[in-house]
Amino acid sequence: MNSKIRINNKYKYIFLVIVCIILIGLPQVSDKGPKFLRVMANYTVVPIQKGLSGFSNYIGSQIGKFDTYKELQKENETLKKEVENLNYANQKLSQNAQELSRLKSLYQMSEYYSNYETIGANVIGKGDEDWFNSFVIDKGSDDGIKTDMNVITKGGLVGIVTNTGHHYANVRSVIDDDSNVSAVVSSTGDLCIVKGNINLVEEGRISFDEMDNNDNNIKIGDEVVTSQISSKFVPGLLIGHIAEIKVSSNNLTRNGFITPAVDFSDIHEVLVITKKKEIGDTSGDN
Amino acid sequence: MKVWIFRKLTVILFIIAAFLLQTTYLDCIRIAHTIPNLLVILVVAFGFIMGTSEGFIAGITAGILMDAMFSEKMGVYALIFITIGYIAGVFAKIYYGNAKLVMYALTFVLEIGYGLYMYVVFYLLRGRLYIFTYFIRNILPSAIYTLALCFLVGPILIALNNKFIQYKRRNDNYFAKLDS
């Protein structure tokens, strides 16, 4: 009797494994199946997730109120000083901006640097990876979010929407090992590819390579932004600042590391850019 | 309600609850970028304490949920969770469901196995070869942390199963009396 049951379970197991492997192997089932599941998840699991994470955010903010009173006072003073400085800087910048807009209209380049329209979204869940390599936001296709839309936060580029449900969407961040972004150094215009790398996640850095080894002098701290030739990222989004640069062993290209502008260990709200870049795949980023 | 249906429904509800916790609140107890894997704990525990068929149910539920939310291919997570449930069930036959230490060891080993599977599927297949870094940084810490959480969660699940056994015995006695 006992051995009979065990054989039974063994066959059951083999059957289930075969089903799984067939599901993985058949692209038609495999790519459409998750869509069906996502619709189901959208009405069952996701609302609860939203509630839970909303509640925890509320508790966190309530707790945060008490222990930060003194910090707030200090911060207030430093901020006041900063405001003065910023006011001054702002005046200068607005003058520059006027000049810039004049020049841009002259060159008809305003399209590239126009303000993108965004949708705000909250982070409601994350994958089982330990950093925010991929996470779930609470807006989906019914809110106007589509696959391949860019996701930013106040600091700069966070990542890209990989798939959507009705009221939620998955985002892959630029520090993910799977992420490749075509970028440009804004001071010199040198193109490069920014790649996430699991070895660097803990140091909070991302790597870049395939930059031409030319005479342009790129300094540490230079801004790196998304490039015009990227097939999926709209141009001009800040990725981070150069932290280290060296010539590759083949002497033709340069590579190094970037400190991202976004703190990836702590993301709560993001903005999704509703403008999508739609050109053929030319730069090899994803 | 029949006890076995009730058991299976309980397993499914526990797994859904664990999934919700895993994706939301477990982030609060993160230590050094590591969060424990509650789903693996529950699938192992159900497989080990209640038997292979409950292990399958737990594995399938966990796998479908993870596939729905985080996978671009159907069945990637389902495969590993079903395997974990089955292995736990096989060990239950050998060690007989109440050996807590075996359950803890099994959780630890299977969490390492889960991590290696994730590495193979999501990194090795794309030609990323840094298994050693990945092992030291991701697999080992999360296995240790998962083990620690298992010390807390395991006894609760064993107590739950004992409740079921008691309930079933009472029911059996009831029917036995009716027969006589």
Side-chain angles (χ1 to χ4, degrees):
Chain A
M1 183 70 190
N2 205 359
S3 66
K4 198 178 172 187
I5 290 171
R6 193 189 286 168
I7 291 169
N8 207 352
N9 273 334
K10 202 186 282 175
Y11 286 139
K12 234 193 258 174
Y13 172 66
I14 293 170
F15 171 73
L16 286 171
V17 166
I18 291 173
V19 168
C20 280
I21 291 173
I22 290 174
L23 282 180
I24 298 169
L26 283 178
Q28 291 203 322
V29 183
S30 197
D31 296 342
K32 277 181 191 158
K35 266 180 206 157
F36 170 70
L37 285 179
R38 266 175 212 131
V39 173
M40 303 258 290
N42 195 47
Y43 294 107
T44 53
V45 188
V46 172
I48 309 177
Q49 268 182 330
K50 270 183 204 175
L52 288 177
S53 58
F55 182 68
S56 78
N57 284 347
Y58 172 74
I59 294 288
S61 67
Q62 291 299 316
I63 293 170
K65 269 183 191 168
F66 295 107
D67 57 22
T68 52
Y69 179 69
K70 277 191 176 171
E71 281 174 33
L72 276 180
Q73 280 186 323
K74 266 187 200 167
E75 204 180 327
N76 197 11
E77 295 209 343
T78 51
L79 281 180
K80 271 180 188 165
K81 279 177 196 163
E82 209 177 310
V83 165
E84 281 177 25
N85 289 336
L86 285 177
N87 267 338
Y88 175 65
N90 201 6
Q91 275 182 352
K92 273 202 334 193
L93 283 178
S94 64
Q95 285 173 358
N96 287 348
Q98 281 177 1
E99 197 179 337
L100 186 67
S101 64
R102 223 163 9 96
L103 291 175
K104 260 189 205 163
S105 60
L106 218 59
Y107 284 102
Q108 293 181 332
M109 272 177 59
S110 57
E111 189 198 346
Y112 281 137
Y113 293 100
S114 61
N115 285 326
Y116 301 116
E117 274 187 32
T118 56
I119 302 175
N122 291 309
V123 176
I124 56 164
K126 57 196 280 298
D128 60 348
E129 297 277 345
D130 299 330
W131 284 60
F132 280 87
N133 287 2
S134 67
F135 53 89
V136 186
I137 57 176
D138 66 348
K139 295 277 166 68
S141 52
D142 286 5
D143 307 298
I145 305 238
K146 297 194 189 92
T147 309
D148 288 345
M149 278 182 177
N150 300 166
V151 180
I152 57 173
T153 183
K154 58 191 173 213
L157 180 66
V158 174
I160 191 163
V161 176
T162 49
N163 52 52
T164 56
H166 284 282
H167 288 291
Y168 75 95
N170 284 54
V171 177
R172 185 187 57 217
S173 67
V174 287
I175 57 168
D176 187 76
D177 204 79
D178 216 359
S179 162
N180 290 313
V181 186
S182 165
V184 62
V185 180
S186 59
S187 60
T188 62
D190 282 310
L191 292 166
C192 60
I193 302 277
V194 175
K195 291 176 177 171
N197 188 329
I198 188 179
N199 285 317
L200 300 169
V201 163
E202 201 146 279
E203 302 161 38
R205 299 202 290 184
I206 36 186
S207 67
F208 71 89
D209 59 11
E210 297 180 30
M211 183 191 287
D212 276 349
N213 185 18
N214 53 19
D215 295 335
N216 290 342
N217 181 23
I218 292 166
K219 293 187 292 297
I220 284 167
D222 280 359
E223 279 183 356
V224 179
V225 299
T226 49
S227 79
Q228 281 96 341
I229 63 160
S230 170
S231 57
K232 286 184 179 170
F233 290 91
V234 291
L237 304 176
L238 179 64
I239 299 173
H241 301 273
I242 301 243
E244 199 180 318
I245 181 164
K246 60 179 188 288
V247 177
S248 308
S249 53
N250 61 12
N251 245 349
L252 294 170
T253 59
R254 286 184 281 185
N255 60 26
F257 304 109
I258 293 171
T259 311
V262 179
D263 178 11
F264 282 99
S265 58
D266 185 32
I267 302 176
H268 291 298
E269 292 96 20
V270 294
L271 298 170
V272 184
I273 296 177
T274 51
K275 191 187 163 197
K276 251 171 89 171
K277 183 120 178 194
E278 278 174 356
I279 57 168
D281 194 355
T282 53
S283 60
D285 55 357
N286 61 42
Chain B
M1 194 192 291
K2 279 187 178 169
V3 177
W4 67 272
I5 299 179
F6 192 55
R7 266 160 71 114
K8 273 165 194 162
L9 278 178
T10 313
V11 170
I12 292 174
L13 283 179
F14 262 72
I15 293 288
I16 292 175
F19 172 77
L20 291 170
L21 279 179
Q22 178 83 45
T23 51
T24 54
Y25 282 160
L26 275 200
D27 206 37
C28 302
I29 56 167
R30 169 206 305 242
I31 298 176
H33 308 313
T34 305
I35 51 176
N37 201 329
L38 196 58
L39 281 174
V40 169
I41 295 178
L42 256 72
V43 174
V44 171
F46 284 132
F48 190 70
I49 302 169
M50 294 188 174
T52 313
S53 58
E54 270 80 3
F56 280 147
I57 301 272
I60 292 169
T61 316
I64 287 177
L65 283 170
M66 289 299 280
D67 277 333
M69 291 296 284
F70 296 114
S71 170
E72 281 163 29
K73 293 259 174 200
M74 276 278 281
V76 176
Y77 282 98
L79 182 61
I80 182 68
F81 276 113
I82 288 169
T83 309
I84 288 175
Y86 175 69
I87 293 174
V90 168
F91 271 79
K93 289 252 163 54
I94 304 170
Y95 287 100
Y96 202 70
N98 271 335
K100 275 189 209 166
L101 275 181
V102 179
M103 190 177 86
Y104 297 146
L106 208 56
T107 307
F108 186 72
V109 172
L110 287 178
E111 168 68 17
I112 289 181
Y114 176 83
L116 289 174
Y117 174 83
M118 288 296 128
Y119 165 76
V120 170
V121 171
F122 291 113
Y123 294 97
L124 189 64
L125 289 184
R126 289 190 294 114
R128 309 292 167 116
L129 297 174
Y130 27 67
I131 172 93
F132 190 70
T133 327
Y134 191 79
F135 189 82
I136 294 293
R137 189 168 295 159
N138 285 33
I139 299 178
L140 204 56
S142 76
I144 291 169
Y145 203 2
T146 303
L147 182 63
L149 188 67
C150 188
F151 287 134
L152 287 177
V153 180
I156 299 173
L157 294 172
I158 289 175
L160 179 85
N161 186 49
N162 288 342
K163 274 268 145 57
F164 273 122
I165 292 170
Q166 277 174 17
Y167 183 73
K168 187 163 184 285
R169 267 193 207 134
R170 221 181 298 147
N171 266 20
D172 286 352
N173 288 343
Y174 177 71
F175 287 118
K177 272 178 205 158
L178 278 188
D179 279 346
S180 65

